[in-house]
Amino acid sequence: MSGPVSAQDAGDRPAGADPAVDGLEVWAGRKAEVGGFGVTRLLPRRPRRTVGAWCFADHMGPGPVSPGAGMDIGPHPHIGLQTVTWLVHGAVLHRDSLGSEQLIRPGELNLMTAGHGVAHSEETAGIYQGELHGVQLWIAQPAATREGAAQFDHLAELPRVETGSCTATVLIGEYAGARSPARRDTDHSGVELHLSGGPAVLPVPPGYEHALMVLDGALTVGGQGLVPGRLAYLGVGRQEILVEADGPARALLIGGVPFPEPVLMWWNYVARTREEIVAAHRDWSAATPRFGEVASPLPRIDTPGPPWT
Ligand code: MN
């Protein structure tokens, strides 16, 4: 997914809200269009720009993909983050400057690590027709790896664990004793929950803050209703999260230890300083070898420089 993450969403200076102990905040996402396709941007949000290392969340669709219209995002750059793509319905073809070409389908995880720089495209034209529904999220990389090499991983098999009325698929990290093999540079997790209806108890580490987003159906958490297009932020200090599903529901639970470094996000870059972002954007606009080439039929995406230049 391509941002843009604008000052409207994230601000243009590094800052972050303190994690709220036992806190609960529910907010509505902002409608946006990415690659010709409707999304709801749930994160970042002022002042809460990160949940653990998770720093971006777009709920994509659901919406139709036809030969004339779909989600087609030409080659664009990333630094300092991992992209997580997870589908509920449909298919998307991922290509990147590492030479990867991978069709992603529901139940599979695409995890791209940008490090110092990578470029990718996401295509549906000529690939898929029908309903497209999914999420794309970004994870900020820590100082130890964010200047490192890029990597692409596709995980077609992920662990599942049943607890009461909930079946969980562990995309990243650990949940209820099950552990994903996905690369993880910080202490965080991402879990898809299939709830059959009624109450469910979600066991969580007390050191994590969490966000819960509904993909299908409706939940109640902490007395507040949660439907697609809204995000519930849950602060650190919980050992479990109690949810009540109105009926069958599908939700995504992301969490992690509050990210210790303030991140600065602009467009498709996650950095710490304006200078890093200016340098990355100069390299992308000049097509230097830093971001490489993507073998995509779509035109590469560029944008004017940051507003502070
Ligand atoms: Mn992207």
Side-chain angles (χ1 to χ4, degrees):
M1 183 71 65
S2 174
V5 174
S6 65
Q8 183 181 356
D9 294 318
D12 62 356
R13 291 175 185 279
D18 291 332
V21 175
D22 292 334
L24 173 66
E25 301 164 19
V26 177
W27 62 72
R30 180 172 71 77
K31 297 288 181 193
E33 192 173 285
V34 175
F37 195 74
V39 305
T40 305
R41 183 145 304 155
L42 295 161
L43 196 72
R45 165 141 179 145
R46 286 174 165 174
R48 202 165 293 290
R49 297 175 188 165
T50 52
V51 177
W54 300 90
C55 61
F56 176 96
D58 266 0
H59 186 173
M60 312 183 292
V65 171
S66 65
M71 188 185 79
D72 291 291
I73 307 166
H76 60 277
H78 287 293
I79 64 166
L81 61 88
Q82 294 180 295
T83 63
V84 170
T85 308
W86 180 257
L87 297 182
V88 176
H89 285 293
V92 175
L93 182 65
H94 161 97
R95 299 186 216 254
D96 65 40
S97 52
L98 299 167
S100 314
E101 181 177 319
Q102 179 66 55
L103 187 70
I104 181 170
R105 294 184 179 283
E108 304 173 350
L109 176 69
N110 270 13
L111 179 65
M112 184 179 74
T113 303
H116 184 60
V118 74
H120 72 146
S121 63
E122 291 144 295
E123 302 166 29
T124 58
I127 304 294
Y128 173 77
Q129 292 182 45
E131 183 185 82
L132 181 67
H133 184 195
V135 288
Q136 193 177 77
L137 307 108
W138 298 351
I139 300 163
Q141 289 184 256
T145 64
R146 70 186 189 90
E147 300 283 357
Q151 181 178 332
F152 176 75
D153 298 297
H154 176 79
L155 293 97
E157 299 288 336
L158 294 164
R160 284 192 169 193
V161 57
E162 278 194 34
T163 55
S165 62
C166 177
T167 302
T169 304
V170 187
L171 283 61
I172 296 173
E174 287 185 53
Y175 179 81
R179 177 192 282 265
S180 166
R183 171 174 167 172
R184 196 170 65 138
D185 292 1
T186 71
D187 190 358
H188 62 275
S189 67
V191 182
E192 190 191 60
L193 308 168
H194 283 248
L195 301 147
S196 57
V201 179
L202 315 177
V204 294
Y208 277 22
E209 55 184 350
H210 288 89
L212 188 62
M213 54 200 93
V214 176
L215 303 179
D216 276 322
L219 302 180
T220 302
V221 58
Q224 298 209 45
L226 196 61
V227 292
R230 298 176 75 82
L231 180 146
Y233 169 83
L234 298 122
V236 297
R238 298 164 191 273
Q239 296 192 321
E240 55 190 31
I241 297 170
L242 307 174
V243 300
E244 175 98 23
D246 291 1
R250 181 196 300 255
L252 196 67
L253 178 68
I254 58 173
V257 171
F259 199 67
E261 307 165 54
V263 298
L264 179 62
M265 298 173 64
W266 180 76
W267 201 43
N268 295 303
Y269 310 119
V270 174
R272 302 295 182 272
T273 67
R274 290 180 167 189
E275 289 71 26
E276 289 173 40
I277 286 179
V278 168
H281 199 56
R282 189 191 307 124
D283 288 342
W284 173 251
S285 298
T288 71
R290 176 173 179 178
F291 293 102
E293 297 282 330
V294 183
S296 168
L298 300 172
R300 82 199 289 278
I301 300 174
D302 207 345
T303 192
W308 62 82
T309 55

